[in-house]
Amino acid sequence: MEKNKRNLKTLRANINMEKYNSQLRDKETWSGIVLYIPAAGNASVRLEWNKPRHEILTTVNGDYMLYQPSKGIVLYTGRTNSIGSRNETDVLALMNMSATQLRTKFGEFQDMRDETLWGGVWTQHFKVTPKTAASYKYIEVWVDTEGMPVQTKMVEKNDDATTIRLTNRRRTRQSPSDQFKQNLDSSVKRVKG
C-alpha cells in the first residue's frame, strides 16, 4: 500500500457497489466510473453512477456536489468536512492511506490471507476494526500486487454491508481538472447540504 500511495497520480476505473440489507435479505447493485486524484487533505473525486440511475458526485478542494441529471436537480452541495459523521467516509479514505496510517486508525490487521477475486485478480485480504466509536463493525480490504485497494466491504452494526469493487483500473499521469468540476446550467435547482 505504501508503493501505491507513493506512485498513484490519478486513477480511472469502473466501480461496482453492492449494498446488502440484512433485514430484508435484499441487495441493490450500482455501477459506474470513478476518477480519482489523491491529495494530502482533500482528494479530487468524480463518481458517475450509470446504473440503477444516473448520478454524478464530485469533490474538489473539499467541496462536494451530487447531481441527478434525470431530475435536473443538485441534491447536495457543501463541504466534505461538514458531513455529520466521518465514519462513513472511511472506505473512501483507504485509497489514500498508507499501511502505517491504517494501523494507527484501526490497529493491527486481522484475518490476513492471499485471495483471488473473480476475474483472476490476486489480492492480499485483511480485516480492520475501528479503534474508536464508528457506525460500522469492521471493514474488509483486498489489495492487489501494486498495493491498490481493489475491493472493500464495510459491515455495519446491524449486519448491512456495502461492497465496492474497482475493475479495469487505469493509472494515468494526469486527468483534466475540468472532469472534477460540474458546470451546470443556471436552471438546475440546487439544495444545500
Side-chain angles (χ1 to χ4, degrees), residues 109 111-116 121-126 141-145:
F109 299 165
D111 191 26
M112 290 186 67
R113 64 179 184 272
D114 292 347
E115 189 173 326
T116 302
V121 177
W122 179 92
T123 63
Q124 185 171 42
H125 168 271
F126 61 88
V141 183
W142 289 260
V143 179
D144 72 6
T145 55

Side-chain angles (χ1 to χ4, degrees), residues 18-93:
E18 180 182 286
K19 293 182 87 51
Y20 174 73
N21 183 311
S22 61
Q23 290 77 33
L24 300 176
R25 294 191 175 131
D26 190 30
K27 64 182 177 181
E28 180 178 37
T29 303
W30 290 67
S31 63
I33 295 172
V34 64
L35 303 173
Y36 177 81
I37 298 177
N42 296 303
S44 293
V45 178
R46 179 183 178 99
L47 179 53
E48 187 161 350
W49 296 114
N50 297 312
K51 293 181 183 175
R53 63 183 166 270
H54 191 203
E55 291 185 350
I56 304 168
L57 172 70
T58 54
T59 65
V60 180
N61 298 323
D63 293 318
Y64 70 91
M65 179 185 294
L66 176 61
Y67 173 52
Q68 288 187 331
S70 63
K71 294 181 180 179
I73 187 171
V74 172
L75 291 178
Y76 304 102
T77 61
R79 300 281 302 158
T80 54
N81 63 4
S82 69
I83 297 171
S85 172
R86 298 293 298 174
N87 295 334
E88 286 72 24
T89 63
D90 283 348
V91 169
L92 294 174

Side-chain angles (χ1 to χ4, degrees), residues 1 4-5 8 36 38-43 45 86-99 101-102 105-106 136 139 141 149 152 154 164:
M1 290 182 71
N4 181 66
K5 181 175 169 50
L8 184 63
Y36 177 81
N42 296 303
V45 178
R86 298 293 298 174
N87 295 334
E88 286 72 24
T89 63
D90 283 348
V91 169
L92 294 174
L94 293 171
M95 292 285 294
N96 205 27
M97 286 182 148
S98 66
Q101 289 169 319
L102 276 169
K105 186 169 184 73
F106 297 102
Y136 57 91
I139 298 175
V141 183
T152 60
M154 181 176 71
I164 297 173

